[in-house]
Amino acid sequence: MAAGYLLRGDGVLQTASTPQSLGRTALSLSPAVWLLLVGALVAAGAAVLLADGTLRLALGSAAATLACLSVLVPALARRERRAQAGAQGRIADFIAHDASPSFTTDAEGRIGYQNAVAEDRFGDCGGQTLSRALGDLFANPAAVLYRLQTRAMSVGAAREDVVTRRGHVRLSVHRVGDGSFLWRLEEMVDRSAGGRGAETLSLPMLTVSKSGTILFMNEAMRRIVGGRVRALDRIFPYLPLRSGEETEVSAADGQIRCIVAELEGASGRREIYLLPAAEDPARPAAARPDFEDLPLALARISADGRIEQANRIARELLGLPPRGEGGQTVTFAELLEGPGRPVNDWLADAMSGPAENRPQVLRVRRRDEGSFLQVTLRRVAEAGRPGLVAVFNDATELKSLEAQIVQSQKMQAIGQLAGGVAHDFNNLLTAISGHCDLMLLRHDRGDPDYADLVQIHQNANRAASLVRQLLAFSRKQTLKPEVFDLRDTLGELAHLLGRLVGEKIALEVDHDPELGAVRADRRQIEQVIMNLVVNARDAMPAGGTIRIETENRSLREELRRDRATVPPGDYVIVRVRDEGVGIPPDKREKIFEPFFTTKRAGEGTGLGLSTAYGIVKQTGGFIFVDSTPGGGSTFAVYLPICDCVPEAEAVGQHTVTALHAASAADGLDIAAEAVAVDHAADRAADGTAAGERVILLVEDEAPVRAFASRALRMRGYRVIEAETAEDALQTLEDPALKVDLFLTDVVMPGMDGPSWVREALKRRPDAKVVFVSGYAEEALATGQTAIPNSVFLPKPFSLSELTATVHRQIH
């Protein structure tokens, strides 16, 4: 006898054992059928009682219709129930032997049928909701079930992969009728070993979350560690783990060694398997016979930073005693120190991974201060214990080169700073000395204020000399190169140098008879030689001999020395030797820095050697020093030989240089004498009056502009002032304005001097130009080459220098 199934109105599946029971169930009438029968009887009774024929006919028809419906509705209901029972029966037969747990539910989620696998897994859930039955499988099942059932109501079916405590589960649902659903759970053991499949493995394994929490341990792992453990460091004393590396495991019976195999799982999880290690641990690499004689410095470092083994080359680099002599165990941090961070922190980073295989330069503590090693660390594991292998390379030369580069960059930065400071000071000194010149014109020698004004002027000149030294160091001074013979220059300087060194020091000069000519600023080269001689004198307080030598030298290959590379070529070498106290090695790199001095306060500014350095470098030469403490010093200046005939000495320039030198030494009245020269210069050769000449003065510094304007007006020129280049161009828009000369600063806010002059010359090509600047003339070189009829006047300039330059340009 075949079994039958009925689906109740509430969605619960019931079983009908026989056709007879199914028929008895069908004979039970529903309330609706009873209402139809009662209505039919009432209508029939009323038809019998009424006398009206038409009304009796209508009520009879109604009674017949209701009687037919009372018979037809149960028949249709029985037919529908048989169809639904047949469908539910077929579904039950289909899922009865399914390998995955399956359920049928109504719209409210109540379980009507569950197959045998579902009963084995979840127990008898008849009458319960599906969300309650799955509550132990994963968290918050109600939200997942509602989401899937809503989707199934819309499209007929839905599925979703859910991460559970035992692994991944695929939950699917199908709509089977208006208010019934079929649910199926498919366990996906292959996507995570932390499920039922892993329990059957004889290989110990565990699943770890991204944060390091143990999510699952199979039976084999639980037997090893003696139960379930949540923290990874309770099992593995040495973290982090490395796949393929041998490590120790804290087992229930003590420490055991295993090889770790790690796989990446889903959602950032890791699956860790333990493989058996060899019975006898291999000897450490540092104990193998060939380790000692490897041509590479190696050392074995424990996890806590102790030096366990080091081969011969490593011991020599680290300053450790020879092998076999014993000695106390030392740590890595005791031997080396790092730049800016503790060495132990770097070792910890190498153990955990971020700093592994990343070289670091460290200083050796047990050797001299200048010893450095480049160290590379790599994590290894021996006998289940992780450690580090260090590879050492001597980095002393590399560190020395780095220090030289840093020193060179520092010198360049100081030079830029000095040049900028000198520019600003030149503007201030131009205003101070210029207005002082103007005041001197209104006072004679008998005036009580005359001596004070002369003192102001002389100190302004001293300040200007100091600024020139800063510009010399920064290689931004204005040079006037010429071709000359150094033998002539040294011959002229001999008397002055003899006065400088004094009676206790002998001065000897030795020249190469075939000495080549050089092209440089003669006055600046004289300054270099004087500074070197004065430096040699100060190094011999008890007296001695200073020897100046010159020679030709031809370099066929480049000469690399200190921080410089001298290219091949022909050079004149000037050497200044002394027998003084010498220069200590730690100060040798700083002697060319400005304001660095070993003298006491008031005995020197520290600008002598830095000035010489800047002049030589700006000339295109090189300067080197050799010194031995207690054995004297030798400064060598390399200047390129010029294949030109020495030029005749410019009388005017020599006269001006001599005048400045004499004034500085004897305190003469420069301004008063310059005024006389200036009045003579203003008498134009062509007889043109100065008042007929128009000068456009462009200067952003108000004090400098005020001095220059007054000085030129006093000489009879008509001066038009402008603060910026833009103002100057706007002034020149007047076509009726005639301008004979542009007197302009080079560096200004907005448009610079060369730019606006180039624009103005397009419409006034006959105008002459005088550029003034606190920077060197090199700052103007690029722009000046394209500007005709222009000259350069460096700041600070005096009243006479300004008016003489303007006069020469105009006439």
Side-chain angles (χ1 to χ4, degrees):
M1 206 177 294
Y5 301 89
L6 290 176
L7 185 66
R8 298 201 319 239
D10 55 5
V12 178
L13 189 68
Q14 290 185 329
T15 303
S17 300
T18 62
Q20 288 81 0
S21 62
L22 183 61
R24 287 195 299 270
T25 302
L27 291 177
S28 58
L29 300 179
S30 65
V33 176
W34 281 110
L35 288 176
L36 291 174
L37 290 175
V38 170
L41 292 174
V42 171
V48 172
L49 296 175
L50 290 177
D52 187 351
T54 304
L55 188 57
R56 290 177 60 188
L57 182 59
L59 288 175
S61 299
T65 301
L66 291 176
C68 292
L69 288 175
S70 64
V71 175
L72 183 60
V73 167
L76 293 175
R78 285 195 298 272
R79 181 177 178 183
E80 179 64 23
R81 283 196 294 271
R82 288 193 183 97
Q84 290 184 359
Q88 295 294 334
R90 288 190 296 271
I91 292 174
D93 290 338
F94 177 75
I95 66 175
H97 303 290
D98 193 353
S100 298
S102 301
F103 302 87
T104 59
T105 65
D106 61 5
E108 285 74 29
R110 288 190 298 271
I111 298 174
Y113 175 78
Q114 62 185 107
N115 63 1
V117 178
E119 287 189 7
D120 293 341
R121 178 75 179 277
F122 300 99
D124 186 5
C125 302
Q128 298 181 11
T129 60
L130 185 60
S131 61
R132 180 178 178 183
L134 302 181
D136 295 334
L137 184 62
F138 58 93
N140 195 20
V144 179
L145 295 175
Y146 176 78
R147 184 167 59 248
L148 291 175
Q149 183 170 311
T150 303
R151 199 180 308 159
M153 286 288 294
S154 175
V155 298
R159 68 179 181 180
E160 187 172 319
D161 292 345
V162 183
V163 179
T164 69
R165 298 181 180 91
R166 302 177 62 88
H168 286 72
V169 171
R170 175 167 294 172
L171 183 60
S172 58
V173 58
H174 294 266
R175 181 164 53 86
V176 287
D178 294 336
S180 301
F181 300 92
L182 172 63
W183 301 85
R184 188 170 182 269
L185 279 75
E186 182 182 359
E187 293 187 87
M188 306 173 67
V189 180
D190 59 326
R191 292 192 56 180
S192 175
R196 295 172 61 90
E199 291 288 356
T200 62
L201 290 177
S202 59
L203 198 65
M205 71 82 57
L206 53 87
T207 303
V208 186
S209 69
K210 184 183 299 184
S211 62
T213 304
I214 298 177
L215 302 176
F216 171 76
M217 298 171 59
N218 69 352
E219 180 61 27
M221 178 63 80
R222 293 196 296 269
R223 283 197 305 268
I224 290 177
V225 299
R228 185 179 297 278
V229 179
R230 293 295 182 189
L232 201 61
D233 57 3
R234 296 285 301 275
I235 302 176
F236 303 100
Y238 301 110
L239 295 174
L241 299 175
R242 298 290 181 86
S243 185
E245 188 177 274
E246 184 177 315
T247 187
E248 289 188 355
V249 176
S250 300
D253 300 330
Q255 300 294 114
I256 61 173
R257 291 182 299 105
C258 296
I259 297 175
V260 176
E262 185 174 320
L263 300 176
E264 290 292 333
S267 303
R269 300 183 180 189
R270 294 178 294 155
E271 298 172 4
I272 300 173
Y273 298 84
L274 300 186
L275 307 176
E279 292 294 331
D280 296 324
R283 285 183 299 172
R288 294 171 186 167
D290 57 346
F291 174 78
E292 179 68 17
D293 299 321
L294 283 175
L296 190 66
L298 296 172
R300 177 74 158 80
I301 306 171
S302 65
D304 56 0
R306 290 179 292 105
I307 302 292
E308 294 183 339
Q309 292 96 12
N311 66 356
R312 177 179 53 81
I313 301 179
R315 290 195 301 270
E316 293 175 356
L317 291 176
L318 295 171
L320 296 174
R323 185 180 181 184
E325 293 188 6
Q328 192 174 10
T329 303
V330 295
T331 64
F332 192 82
E334 292 173 347
L335 297 175
L336 300 164
E337 63 178 355
R341 65 176 304 194
V343 171
N344 287 331
D345 292 349
W346 182 50
L347 293 178
D349 287 347
M351 285 291 294
S352 60
E356 187 179 12
N357 294 328
R358 295 185 178 180
Q360 182 74 272
V361 177
L362 308 176
R363 189 180 68 84
V364 184
R365 294 178 182 269
R366 295 195 173 190
R367 294 174 61 186
D368 59 88
E369 291 294 325
S371 296
F372 295 88
L373 295 179
Q374 185 185 54
V375 186
T376 305
L377 300 177
R378 181 173 179 81
R379 177 181 163 127
V380 296
E382 299 290 347
R385 296 179 180 272
L388 295 169
V389 168
V391 181
F392 303 97
N393 291 291
D394 194 343
T396 303
E397 293 185 4
L398 177 64
K399 199 67 177 178
S400 175
L401 179 60
E402 179 184 348
Q404 291 176 8
I405 294 175
V406 171
Q407 176 73 6
S408 177
Q409 293 174 341
K410 181 175 69 174
M411 295 286 280
Q412 182 180 3
I414 294 175
Q416 292 176 348
L417 175 62
V421 171
H423 169 263
D424 293 338
F425 266 92
N426 278 333
N427 280 324
L428 297 175
L429 292 173
T430 300
I432 293 172
S433 62
H435 284 89
C436 187
D437 286 345
L438 293 174
M439 294 182 69
L440 282 170
L441 293 176
R442 300 195 301 270
H443 296 76
D444 54 27
R445 292 180 181 271
D447 195 301
D449 295 332
Y450 188 84
D452 295 335
L453 293 174
V454 170
Q455 284 293 323
I456 294 173
H457 197 282
Q458 289 178 350
N459 283 281
N461 286 338
R462 291 181 59 190
S465 176
L466 182 64
V467 171
R468 281 194 296 271
Q469 294 184 66
L470 286 175
L471 283 173
F473 167 74
S474 61
R475 296 173 244 172
K476 293 182 178 180
Q477 64 176 342
T478 300
L479 298 181
K480 295 179 173 60
E482 58 181 294
V483 180
F484 62 93
D485 192 325
L486 274 171
R487 292 173 295 184
D488 299 335
T489 302
L490 289 173
E492 296 173 2
L493 281 177
H495 179 67
L496 178 59
L497 294 177
R499 292 174 55 187
L500 284 174
V501 299
E503 298 179 354
K504 293 190 300 182
I505 297 177
L507 182 65
E508 297 180 358
V509 180
D510 183 15
H511 291 303
D512 187 330
E514 303 294 334
L515 195 67
V518 298
R519 187 176 187 274
D521 188 316
R522 181 193 296 266
R523 185 162 54 92
Q524 298 296 334
I525 295 300
E526 291 175 354
Q527 182 71 44
V528 170
I529 296 173
M530 290 177 61
N531 288 356
L532 295 179
V533 170
V534 170
N535 187 72
R537 177 200 67 185
D538 296 339
M540 297 187 295
T545 301
I546 298 176
R547 185 175 180 83
I548 302 176
E549 303 172 352
T550 62
E551 69 167 336
N552 292 330
R553 184 173 180 183
S554 180
L555 297 179
R556 300 308 175 195
E557 297 179 354
E558 63 180 22
L559 172 64
R560 293 182 177 271
R561 179 168 176 186
D562 299 337
R563 299 182 298 272
T565 301
V566 183
D570 297 327
Y571 294 89
V572 169
I573 302 178
V574 182
R575 293 188 180 90
V576 179
R577 302 180 186 272
D578 64 64
E579 301 171 348
V581 296
I583 305 171
D586 59 330
K587 294 182 172 60
R588 201 172 299 157
E589 296 181 352
K590 301 179 180 179
I591 60 173
F592 293 118
E593 296 181 9
F595 306 111
F596 176 81
T597 179
T598 58
K599 301 175 184 178
R600 292 178 297 181
E603 294 183 355
T605 62
L607 286 173
L609 290 179
S610 63
T611 300
Y613 173 85
I615 293 172
V616 171
K617 297 299 288 184
Q618 189 174 5
T619 306
F622 301 85
I623 183 170
F624 304 106
V625 59
D626 293 298
S627 183
T628 303
S633 303
T634 300
F635 285 85
V637 177
Y638 287 65
L639 298 174
I641 291 179
C642 180
D643 297 329
C644 304
V645 178
E647 301 170 0
E649 183 176 356
V651 177
Q653 179 61 34
H654 180 73
T655 304
V656 173
T657 303
L659 176 61
H660 277 276
S663 301
D666 303 329
L668 297 178
D669 182 9
I670 299 175
E673 297 186 8
V675 169
V677 175
D678 198 40
H679 276 300
D682 281 339
R683 300 186 186 98
D686 57 2
T688 304
E692 300 176 6
R693 305 294 187 178
V694 179
I695 299 174
L696 177 58
L697 172 62
V698 185
E699 170 63 60
D700 61 304
E701 290 286 341
V704 177
R705 188 173 67 251
F707 153 64
S709 176
R710 287 182 56 188
L712 293 172
R713 288 192 177 105
M714 289 176 62
R715 296 297 170 260
Y717 295 104
R718 180 188 173 194
V719 181
I720 301 173
E721 299 182 30
E723 184 177 357
T724 64
E726 289 77 10
D727 293 342
L729 291 175
Q730 186 175 1
T731 301
L732 293 175
E733 290 179 357
D734 183 3
L737 178 64
K738 178 180 181 299
V739 178
D740 298 282
L741 182 138
F742 301 147
L743 177 62
T744 177
D745 195 3
V746 174
V747 180
M748 296 182 294
M751 186 180 294
D752 60 16
S755 297
W756 84 262
V757 168
R758 193 178 295 109
E759 183 68 24
L761 288 177
K762 293 179 181 179
R763 289 179 290 180
R764 300 174 184 264
D766 296 331
K768 307 297 177 61
V769 183
V770 175
F771 289 105
V772 297
S773 178
Y775 288 114
E777 189 173 2
E778 294 177 358
L780 180 66
T782 303
Q784 190 181 5
T785 54
I787 299 177
N789 300 325
S790 63
V791 295
F792 180 75
L793 178 63
K795 296 178 182 178
F797 49 79
S798 65
L799 184 150
S800 60
E801 290 172 338
L802 172 63
T803 56
T805 301
V806 170
H807 177 82
R808 284 194 300 270
Q809 272 297 92
I810 289 181
H811 301 291

